[in-house]
Amino acid sequence: HTNVHTLFRESILLLTGETGEPCRASLTLTCDLADALSFAVVTGSEELVSRVLRVRVRDGTCCPFPVAVAVPFRARYRGNYRDVAVKVVDEQGRTSYVRPSYTEEMCRGHKGSFAEVRVYTLGLFAVVSCLRRENYTVPRRGLSLRLSADPRVCLHYLPGCFTSSVVLQPVDGSLLASLKSRRDGYHAVLSTSPLLHITHPSSQNLRRPLTVTLPCPPNPEKRRGAGQGGEQAQLTRPICGDASRSTPTLQKVSELLVLLGWKDDKWNILDKVTLRNLQNGLVSFELSENIERLFVVRLFSPVSPSRLTALAEEVEERVRCTAVNIVLQQAQADPHTALVAVLPSRDLPRAMSELRAQGYCGPAEPSLEIAMSEGEQLLVSFSGNITLTGGGGVCERITFHSQRKNHLRLHLTEVDPFGNYSSPHYKGTALFYKVAVGRVEWREGQATPSCCVSLKDLVCKLSVTLPKVHKILYTPDISVHKPMTTTCPRPGCLSDSALLWLSEELSEEDVSQLVLCFRLHRGSVQLARHQAPGGPASWAYHVLALWRRALPAGPHSAKTASLARCLAKSGRPDLARELLLRQTATGESPVDSDK
């Protein structure tokens, strides 16, 4: 194998020649990163687990085929329900899936997994995680098939002869809980089965019934009751009534099973199919016609058919989505450098800790939960007095992939250096617009939205601030240049440097005592603590800055004296004396020490 190209600690291995002998592939092939086209290589329930690489033949050269390509990948979620395949999109846009062979290699001291395939065409290469598809043939003697993805799912065919395939889509319990919390009509739903996709020959109907067994967990309260009172124990619950009754009336609760199938391009309730409730939460039924998709719902009370079909549609749509939060953080060393991260909600606390460890912090709160599908894009723009470097309404984009890091680094700057004159910060808002996969086109190797975004596509807003820098301007005078500061206070006043020095000297207990002396609102103090995740010093600085903003206009010496009195009352007279000495050293009018 010849190492042709190394890209950001990732490499691609190319092997040419029908005999399998390596040749000088670097002279005939070129490899480039094409992550901007990642939206074009994922469809349906696929998830991208690698970078997108474009491999082409150099102009005027001839490359012998087949070519063996090894693409590095990292799949964070690999289970029985999913397989890894290499997806190839050629120059004409035709797509093919190739089952790879896996190898473990060392690259720059890092051990990684490579998916290696032998191909006869070049183009875009990416490793995708897709639902496991099982192909099988029903012989004349019949077939009883247990799926490798979930052995509880069984398909029992009577004698016949045809070829078919099946795909199992699991439904997470948290997804059902989320739907029940948002829709009152779904409270009667106890559990659901996985979505079963069966592909039968369209020209051949089932001559004999097909027996299907699917897992649909029972009510956990019923299982506890059965364990205490035997298998014949029945679940009961009180009827809502007068709370003063000593003995509430009990009503028997029986669970209902409903089978939904995809027919005529919509979900329908299959009333004529009889469902049998087996042990261990298994449900069995017989089908006498071709049904593309099957879905079983367990209820504790009847639900209208329209709500059940709506439930199936929502579940089918949400299983392809991921609940995420958008976070905008700024670097502590350089606040003009910002990081936009799209983080899965289940990993939000851990991911936020990692960002703080990397030196990112900021007052911006994470957004509310947003449902993002694989390959969807977010357009980022800014309003207010903050914009991206370059200005002119520049927008940046980030493509979401559930198993990749969705980070975007930006460089911010202010629009008007004299704006926000009443605040120590420049203020702006980051606007995020969601662009669906179908609205993004591939034009000249770039991802371009097919239409302009509208306010309906706005998914969230995040506030962002930038500190004001100290700028010295000179007034145009013929004889003398008079310096004038525009964004920093005069020497001797409560400047940022004085507050920074004081915040380093104060402990967390001192800040708590100062808060009582400052008489600040409790909500404002809690907000200041939340805006300062760096530690006690950062919190102390935010509290001092909050108090300074609340002061009325007046002499700077009076403000310093007021702060000194608060320090003395809180038990730090030493810092009060040193603060007064610092003011005297700067040339301000002396302050009465008795005061």
Side-chain angles (χ1 to χ4, degrees):
H1 289 68
T2 305
N3 192 350
V4 176
H5 204 45
T6 303
L7 300 167
F8 300 97
R9 294 187 179 180
E10 295 189 0
S11 63
I12 178 171
L13 304 177
L14 303 174
L15 181 68
T16 62
E18 296 182 358
T19 60
E21 297 179 358
C23 68
R24 303 180 65 183
S26 59
L27 301 179
T28 60
L29 299 176
T30 61
C31 175
D32 302 308
L33 277 178
D35 288 336
L37 302 176
S38 61
F39 71 94
V41 297
V42 287
T43 56
S45 58
E46 298 171 355
E47 297 177 356
L48 184 68
V49 295
S50 73
R51 307 289 290 269
V52 181
L53 303 178
R54 188 203 301 269
V55 182
R56 292 178 288 187
V57 180
R58 294 180 183 271
D59 296 337
T61 60
C62 180
C63 178
F65 287 96
V67 175
V69 182
V71 185
F73 73 97
R74 179 180 297 175
R76 287 184 286 178
Y77 306 105
R78 297 180 65 180
N80 295 332
Y81 293 99
R82 288 190 169 270
D83 276 334
V84 172
V86 176
K87 191 172 185 177
V88 184
V89 182
D90 60 12
E91 299 297 336
Q92 287 74 31
R94 294 172 297 189
T95 302
S96 59
Y97 297 85
V98 185
R99 184 178 295 275
S101 58
Y102 305 107
T103 58
E104 297 288 337
E105 298 286 345
M106 293 294 296
C107 177
R108 293 188 177 182
H110 297 273
K111 188 175 182 180
S113 300
F114 291 81
E116 184 176 341
V117 293
R118 297 173 67 88
V119 295
Y120 288 85
T121 183
L122 300 178
L124 296 179
F125 288 82
V127 183
V128 296
S129 174
C130 50
L131 291 175
R132 177 174 297 179
R133 178 179 294 273
E134 300 189 27
N135 301 316
Y136 56 92
T137 300
V138 180
R140 292 176 181 258
R141 64 178 181 275
L143 176 67
S144 182
L145 175 67
R146 289 188 178 274
L147 301 187
S148 58
D150 191 344
R152 297 175 299 175
V153 180
C154 179
L155 304 177
H156 182 71
Y157 290 89
L158 294 176
C161 186
F162 56 86
T163 302
S164 183
S165 64
V166 61
V167 175
L168 192 65
Q169 172 70 67
V171 178
D172 192 14
S174 60
L175 170 61
L176 182 60
S178 176
L179 292 177
K180 291 172 64 176
S181 64
R182 298 183 181 184
R183 301 284 191 275
D184 293 337
Y186 298 159
H187 285 172
V189 179
L190 293 176
S191 61
T192 65
S193 72
L195 286 168
L196 186 66
H197 300 250
I198 305 179
T199 304
H200 287 141
S202 57
S203 59
Q204 183 175 356
N205 296 326
L206 291 174
R207 298 180 180 179
R208 296 179 176 87
L210 163 65
T211 303
V212 182
T213 303
L214 288 176
C216 189
N219 188 2
E221 295 183 3
K222 184 176 181 179
R223 285 187 295 179
R224 286 195 294 267
Q228 297 174 0
E231 296 183 358
Q232 301 298 327
Q234 294 180 337
L235 178 66
T236 59
R237 60 169 181 155
I239 298 177
C240 297
D242 188 3
S244 62
R245 296 181 181 179
S246 59
T247 306
T249 306
L250 299 180
Q251 178 187 15
K252 296 182 179 179
V253 178
S254 59
E255 296 178 357
L256 305 176
L257 292 173
V258 180
L259 175 63
L260 294 95
W262 182 264
K263 292 175 55 180
D264 302 328
D265 297 332
K266 63 179 181 179
W267 284 100
N268 299 273
I269 296 179
L270 306 181
D271 296 327
K272 299 181 180 180
V273 179
T274 302
L275 286 82
R276 296 184 297 275
N277 197 3
L278 306 180
Q279 294 181 352
N280 300 325
L282 299 180
V283 178
S284 178
F285 53 90
E286 292 184 352
L287 292 178
S288 57
E289 57 180 335
N290 290 334
I291 304 295
E292 296 180 6
R293 306 171 205 170
L294 296 171
F295 187 54
V296 179
V297 181
R298 188 184 294 272
L299 310 169
F300 69 79
S301 63
V303 178
S304 63
S306 59
R307 288 182 176 176
L308 288 176
T309 55
L311 172 65
E313 293 174 357
E314 287 198 58
V315 168
E316 190 176 29
E317 180 182 357
R318 292 290 298 274
V319 291
R320 299 181 181 179
C321 299
T322 304
V324 300
N325 297 88
I326 303 176
V327 175
L328 192 151
Q329 298 285 294
Q330 295 170 264
Q332 292 181 350
D334 182 15
H336 290 78
T337 300
L339 176 70
V340 175
V342 184
L343 307 174
S345 300
R346 59 178 179 270
D347 301 333
L348 183 61
R350 177 182 58 81
M352 292 292 291
S353 300
E354 292 178 356
L355 290 179
R356 293 192 185 101
Q358 296 173 9
Y360 288 96
C361 68
E365 285 285 336
S367 69
L368 299 177
E369 283 192 5
I370 301 170
M372 292 286 294
S373 299
E374 189 78 9
E376 284 188 332
Q377 292 189 348
L378 286 173
L379 296 184
V380 188
S381 63
F382 288 84
S383 64
N385 201 24
I386 294 179
T387 184
L388 294 172
T389 301
V394 178
C395 291
E396 292 290 343
R397 71 184 67 248
I398 179 171
T399 306
F400 173 74
H401 297 288
S402 59
Q403 296 201 44
R404 302 285 297 175
K405 278 190 176 181
N406 305 290
H407 291 176
L408 177 65
R409 286 177 173 81
L410 305 172
H411 191 75
L412 308 179
T413 185
E414 68 276 2
V415 177
D416 182 9
F418 301 98
N420 305 116
Y421 60 90
S422 61
S423 172
H425 303 280
Y426 297 117
K427 299 179 180 180
T429 304
L431 308 176
F432 295 88
Y433 299 87
K434 185 165 70 170
V435 182
V437 178
R439 297 176 56 190
V440 182
E441 296 179 354
W442 184 353
R443 297 178 183 175
E444 299 179 357
Q446 298 294 331
T448 306
S450 59
C451 59
C452 298
V453 296
S454 62
L455 293 178
K456 295 187 298 182
D457 303 319
L458 182 65
V459 292
C460 76
K461 299 179 182 180
L462 295 179
S463 61
V464 59
T465 60
L466 287 177
K468 292 184 177 180
V469 295
H470 297 263
K471 295 182 180 180
I472 299 179
L473 301 180
Y474 292 90
T475 58
D477 195 327
I478 299 178
S479 58
V480 179
H481 294 284
K482 298 179 181 180
M484 179 180 64
T485 57
T486 60
T487 60
C488 67
R490 296 199 314 268
C493 70
L494 291 176
S495 61
D496 289 341
S497 59
L499 296 187
L500 285 173
W501 162 78
L502 193 57
S503 62
E504 294 291 339
E505 300 294 332
L506 292 171
S507 64
E508 190 169 357
E509 293 77 7
D510 297 335
V511 179
S512 301
Q513 295 296 326
L514 272 178
V515 168
L516 299 177
C517 297
F518 287 162
R519 298 181 179 179
L520 297 174
H521 292 289
R522 181 179 180 183
S524 301
V525 176
Q526 290 178 349
L527 180 61
R529 177 185 286 273
H530 192 70
Q531 290 177 346
S538 180
W539 178 43
Y541 174 77
H542 279 74
V543 169
L544 292 172
L546 181 65
W547 172 80
R548 183 179 62 180
R549 288 196 298 270
L551 290 177
H556 300 293
S557 58
K559 297 179 181 179
T560 307
S562 177
L563 180 57
R565 285 194 298 269
C566 293
L567 288 172
K569 289 181 180 179
S570 63
R572 294 303 302 269
D574 55 333
L575 292 180
R577 287 192 298 269
E578 189 169 352
L579 179 64
L580 296 176
L581 291 176
R582 280 174 171 263
Q583 183 198 26
T584 305
T586 56
E588 289 287 326
S589 59
V591 182
D592 189 358
S593 59
D594 295 338
K595 296 182 180 179

